[in-house]
Amino acid sequence: MNAAEKKVLLVGATGEIGGLAARQLAGYGAATALAGRDPERLRARGAALGGRPWRGFDAYDLDGCARLASWAGEALGGLDAVVVAVGVAAFGASADVSDASAEHLFAVNTLCPMAVVRGALPVLPRGGVVVAVTGEIVDRPLSAWPTTRRPRLRSPCGCA
């Protein structure tokens, strides 16, 4: 999918990866609707990208996550793709992660993206695209992966 003139919902637009994707998509000529957790950053990012529509959301509100695609489709006059770039990291051994932290990790990293995608499926046309961006945090260099090498994420719409 060529991103030029495509209508894209970007979930996680206030984060580093989502912000980068928003700038790249705008640079490719895509019409984007931005969703994120920080209204001030969304307002600023939307304005910096030429007045993009934006909406705040809470990853714990799964019904709200599922409604993002419908909102974006209305705001953009249709929807061709959804990019989900949300996530949080945990540090330390699994045995040391509290139940509250585990719940938070699962809600943000798993349930929220699943709800966004579930809500997007009835809105996207045949041939529409869903991109889920995930990350990895490594606390020590791996011998097979030199620390000077940085991965480059790719997606079908070329946004990252």
Side-chain angles (χ1 to χ4, degrees), residues 45-141:
R45 187 149 288 153
L49 296 174
R52 310 292 171 152
W54 59 271
R55 173 173 276 189
F57 78 98
D58 181 346
Y60 279 87
D61 177 7
L62 300 180
D63 290 335
C65 293
R67 288 191 298 269
L68 289 172
S70 293
W71 161 77
E74 290 176 22
L76 299 173
L79 196 61
D80 299 303
V82 175
V83 177
V84 183
V86 299
V88 294
F91 297 95
S94 295
D96 298 332
V97 175
S98 69
D99 288 345
S101 292
E103 178 183 356
H104 179 72
L105 289 165
F106 197 73
V108 174
N109 296 338
T110 305
L111 297 177
C112 168
M114 289 173 68
V116 171
V117 171
R118 185 178 64 249
L121 294 177
V123 177
L124 288 168
R126 185 177 198 89
V129 174
V130 173
V131 178
V133 180
T134 62
E136 179 178 352
I137 295 179
V138 178
D139 62 357
R140 63 181 182 269

Side-chain angles (χ1 to χ4, degrees), residues 10 26 28 37-38 56 68 89 112-113 115 121 124 136 139 143 153 157:
L10 179 56
Y28 294 143
R37 64 182 172 153
D38 183 334
L68 289 172
C112 168
L121 294 177
L124 288 168
E136 179 178 352
D139 62 357
S143 60
L153 301 175
C157 64

